[in-house]
């Protein structure tokens, strides 16, 4: 829908801005993820367009796909959990991002529950849980 256009433009701008800052394996990994997810997205949309799925089936497929992506995204800061636990130092978890994630996912969870939309409250409640785990790690293992 047209409401997704600003977000799409912002995400393309972000990727184009960040990619030149990355080097070596980090750059290669990021490029692989962007290209891979773009290919999956294009294939999903193509499959949905060519198979004459009902509106409900299309909505469900896109909701599951977006929910899966969001859960991976909201859990990604926990990729440093091994480092945090072994060093007893949470400096690899950004405090501002943690509070933004908790606030954002809490608000979206409440909204999703209010409108009874599992594709809104499901992934956001999961993201809220991930954010609270990050906060707990920040409290138990303060940044040094």
């Amino acid at each position: 829908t047209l409401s997704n256009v600003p977000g799409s433009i912002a995400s393309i701008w972000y990727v184009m801005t960040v990619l030149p800052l990355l080097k070596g394996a980090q750059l290669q990994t990021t490029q692989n993820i962007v290209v891979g997810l773009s290919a999956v997205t294009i294939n999903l949309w193509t499959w949905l367009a060519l198979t004459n799925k009902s509106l409900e089936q299309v909505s469900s497929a896109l909701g599951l796909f977006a929910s899966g992506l969001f859960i991976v995204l909201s859990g990604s800061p926990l990729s440093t959990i091994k480092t945090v636990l072994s060093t007893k130092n949470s400096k690899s978890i950004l405090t501002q991002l943690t509070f933004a994630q908790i606030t954002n996912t809490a608000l979206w969870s409440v909204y999703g529950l209010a409108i009874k939309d599992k594709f809104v409250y499901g992934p956001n409640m999961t993201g809220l849980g991930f954010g609270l785990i990050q906060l707990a790690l920040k409290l138990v293992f303060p940044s040094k």
Side-chain angles (χ1 to χ4, degrees):
T1 63
L2 286 177
S3 62
N4 291 323
V5 172
S8 297
I9 292 169
S11 65
I12 291 168
W13 172 83
Y14 178 77
V15 169
M16 297 302 293
T17 303
V18 169
L19 278 179
L21 303 175
L22 304 176
K23 304 288 183 235
Q26 193 178 34
L27 174 62
Q28 185 66 44
T29 300
T30 303
Q31 288 174 326
N32 289 341
I33 290 169
V34 169
V35 170
L37 288 176
S38 296
V40 169
T41 302
I42 290 167
N43 282 314
L44 176 61
W45 279 95
T46 302
W47 177 75
L48 290 170
L50 296 177
T51 56
N52 294 323
K53 299 289 183 191
S54 69
L55 184 57
E56 184 178 321
Q57 290 171 314
V58 169
S59 179
S60 181
L62 293 175
L64 285 170
F65 180 66
S67 295
L69 285 178
F70 180 76
I71 289 169
V72 170
L73 173 69
S74 64
S76 62
L78 293 175
S79 64
T80 66
I81 196 167
K82 183 178 178 183
T83 303
V84 172
L85 294 174
S86 65
T87 63
K88 302 195 182 328
N89 182 356
S90 65
K91 74 176 182 178
S92 60
I93 298 175
L94 301 175
T95 303
Q96 297 89 339
L97 180 63
T98 299
F99 283 111
Q101 179 170 334
I102 290 170
T103 303
N104 182 46
T105 55
L107 292 171
W108 278 108
S109 294
V110 169
Y111 174 72
L113 289 168
I115 64 169
K116 297 178 176 77
D117 188 334
K118 64 184 175 195
F119 293 126
V120 176
Y121 70 76
N124 280 287
M125 290 178 84
T126 303
L128 177 58
F130 289 155
L132 292 172
I133 291 169
Q134 292 171 56
L135 179 59
L137 288 169
K138 295 293 283 179
L139 295 172
V140 172
F141 305 111
S143 298
K144 295 178 184 175

